[in-house]
Amino acid sequence: MTPGGPGSDAPGPAAQQPAGPLERRGADRSPGADLRSPGPPWAGRKVVLGVCAGIAAYKAVQVARDLTLLGAAVDVVLTESARKFVAPLSFEGVTGRGPLTDIFAAGGAALHISLARGADCVCIAPATADFIARAAAGRASDLLTTVLVATDAPVVIAPAMNDRMFAHPRTAANLALLEDGLGHHRVGPADGRLAAGEGSGPGRMAEPSDIVDAVGRAVGAGGPLSGARVLVTASGTREPVDAVRYLGNRSSGKMGYALARAAWLNGAEVTLVSGPSAVDPPCGVDLVGVETAWEMHEAVMDRVGTADVAIHAAAVADYRPRSPLPDKMKREAIGDETAIDLVANPDIAAESAGKMRAGSVAVGFALETDDLLARAERKLEAKGFDLIVANRAGEPGSGFEADTNRVTILARGEPPRELPVMAKFAVAWEILKVIEARLGRGGAG
Ligand code: C5P
């Protein structure tokens, strides 16, 4: 008996596989290192990236690079003072397009209109206190503010400034006006170290990967899952044996986190109920951290009644030690052999299916070593899922810890949909298309 109830991730040699093209956070943890090839929702989009004069301007080069690698055409607009912080050539190097600053340059008069009209998204990163004040006042005093006044595209603002400037009531009021009054999307600021000598506090610009995702969500605003409540379980549970030991499994959480991220990018309000995981939480999702199957059970039962979609990607332990010891078991007291008495955990997915409202969609995962599709189909019925994602244990390029996965999607009343080995993010995107079709909100093309 293995205590880990298999979820989305299967064990196998796949742990050694290279990172997939769209998988976000793999072994190489530099931001954007795993953003390698074009894909939805960024591919083919035109993004105006406005860069203001803040220390964080150097991180905007990463934002420009990642958006470009994801297939967006990025026009960088630097404010006059931003050029003191970062060279235009850096942006040209990563976007292949010359940055703009001067509204009075040749063709400049029409420039703000063509940029503003052509954009699918205008993203300001970093947005300084001064820029935020000018934007809130509706000023059109340079190329960037003029573009902002002239555009109908969604706007993403990534504030970055000293913590006291961020806390200033005027800044707060200006930001509130941009967000609540004009519907601009704010990302960050984060809490953390500020410029040298400034200490730390809220004011640090959001990480480039989160800004890239905020742009992705903004261009997908009004998308098929817009406003839908999506509940995702992820990673494995840990069942205490004693004060320091637990029974666990090899689920990394990568598949569930990719699903949560893809759902958020598609416009959903996402809650991610996760066992311990080393994966960074995706931008925008409400993360509920749990450890044991019973904790996951409670977190899911509290929320599943209001969910439009529940995706059970977690590898929940099927059994737990009946009586975990309050202290550490001592080897000298145990001797050479011992046994742990196990008792069954609740089946979270099966129990929650009955609690979901009419028209909602329940999705399960099945990991099998043999008889994959027949067993997955039986689970589809037995646990009341609308669709189940089947993957084979031990297959190269899929399963536990891998950045890629190879799955077959089985939906009630539909022929199996077999997908090739793909990055887990790309697999997640495909699963969501099927979910959207079942919700009557989109198409599974
Ligand atoms: O372990 P099993 O193959 O039955 O898992 C199938 C599905 O049921 C998965 O979606 C998993 O997240 C879910 N499950 C659960 N609670 C359990 C065991 C499995 O929700 N105790």
Side-chain angles (χ1 to χ4, degrees):
M1 194 284 312
T2 38
S8 56
D9 300 340
Q16 308 306 323
Q17 292 289 310
L22 272 181
E23 185 60 30
R24 184 181 183 212
R25 289 164 169 132
D28 180 349
R29 302 198 44 99
S30 66
D34 41 9
L35 299 169
R36 289 193 188 117
S37 63
W42 306 271
R45 304 295 191 153
K46 288 188 177 166
V47 179
V48 173
L49 176 63
V51 180
C52 303
I55 298 295
Y58 75 94
K59 290 199 227 168
V61 178
Q62 181 85 46
V63 176
R65 170 186 172 270
D66 291 348
L67 286 170
T68 304
L69 289 177
L70 288 164
V74 183
D75 281 309
V76 175
V77 177
L78 294 162
T79 63
E80 194 62 51
S81 322
R83 298 165 75 100
K84 300 200 168 91
F85 285 87
V86 62
L89 200 55
S90 300
F91 290 102
E92 189 166 348
V94 296
T95 64
R97 299 156 85 93
L100 307 156
T101 296
D102 188 2
I103 197 167
F104 301 114
L111 200 57
H112 63 282
I113 298 298
S114 60
L115 280 174
R117 289 224 180 116
D120 293 301
C121 178
V122 177
C123 171
I124 320 294
T128 54
D130 176 61
F131 173 82
I132 289 166
R134 287 191 292 136
R139 296 285 304 275
S141 47
D142 61 4
L143 182 58
L144 187 54
T145 45
T146 311
V147 167
L148 205 59
V149 175
T151 194
D152 290 331
V155 176
V156 172
I157 304 262
M161 63 199 74
N162 169 275
D163 55 338
R164 289 192 191 169
M165 293 170 79
F166 181 67
H168 194 285
R170 283 305 319 162
T171 306
N174 290 335
L175 263 175
L177 197 147
L178 294 183
E179 281 188 271
D180 306 334
L182 300 177
H184 294 354
H185 308 270
R186 177 155 73 94
V187 51
D191 223 335
R193 283 205 66 78
L194 301 167
E198 289 189 14
S200 64
R204 179 188 158 96
M205 190 171 82
E207 287 308 314
S209 55
D210 286 344
I211 296 171
V212 166
D213 275 10
V215 169
R217 174 148 162 129
V219 295
L225 279 181
S226 191
R229 290 184 186 197
V230 176
L231 178 66
V232 182
T233 69
S235 194
T237 60
R238 290 179 179 176
E239 309 300 327
V241 173
D242 66 12
V244 297
R245 302 180 179 92
Y246 60 83
L247 297 180
N249 61 70
R250 292 172 54 199
S251 174
S252 61
K254 285 180 181 175
M255 191 66 238
Y257 280 52
L259 280 157
R261 180 184 175 215
W264 189 76
L265 288 169
N266 271 287
E269 301 308 319
V270 182
T271 303
L272 175 60
V273 178
S274 175
S277 170
V279 185
D280 290 333
C283 178
V285 313
D286 178 20
L287 179 70
V288 182
V290 297
E291 197 155 323
T292 64
W294 267 112
E295 287 170 11
M296 184 172 281
H297 176 270
E298 194 184 341
V300 169
M301 294 309 148
D302 281 352
R303 293 166 178 83
V304 78
T306 53
D308 298 295
V309 178
I311 307 176
H312 301 274
V316 185
D318 290 322
Y319 296 88
R320 67 180 184 280
R322 186 187 295 278
S323 312
L325 297 173
D327 300 318
K328 186 183 170 194
M329 285 197 296
K330 311 282 184 309
R331 187 175 175 148
E332 8 2 315
I334 295 170
D336 284 346
E337 278 185 35
T338 187
I340 301 173
D341 192 15
L342 299 177
V343 58
N345 270 328
D347 192 316
I348 300 166
E351 198 179 319
S352 64
K355 291 196 163 21
M356 293 190 74
R357 58 188 183 202
S360 58
V361 175
V363 183
F365 274 77
L367 168 81
E368 308 291 347
T369 48
D370 51 279
D371 215 8
L372 177 65
L373 295 190
R375 293 180 70 87
E377 249 161 38
R378 282 205 291 279
K379 276 182 193 164
L380 183 73
E381 290 300 327
K383 300 204 185 201
F385 295 135
D386 298 285
L387 55 110
I388 192 159
V389 182
N391 57 353
R392 198 178 293 278
E395 193 176 280
S398 89
F400 276 136
E401 297 162 344
D403 289 320
T404 55
N405 213 357
R406 189 165 88 85
V407 307
T408 302
I409 304 173
L410 301 170
R412 273 175 198 263
E414 288 177 32
R417 208 181 295 253
E418 205 181 322
L419 302 179
V421 176
M422 296 195 289
K424 281 183 174 167
F425 178 73
V427 173
W429 199 267
E430 291 303 315
I431 294 169
L432 283 172
K433 295 295 132 196
V434 181
I435 294 172
E436 284 159 14
R438 294 205 74 97
L439 271 179
R441 287 166 174 259

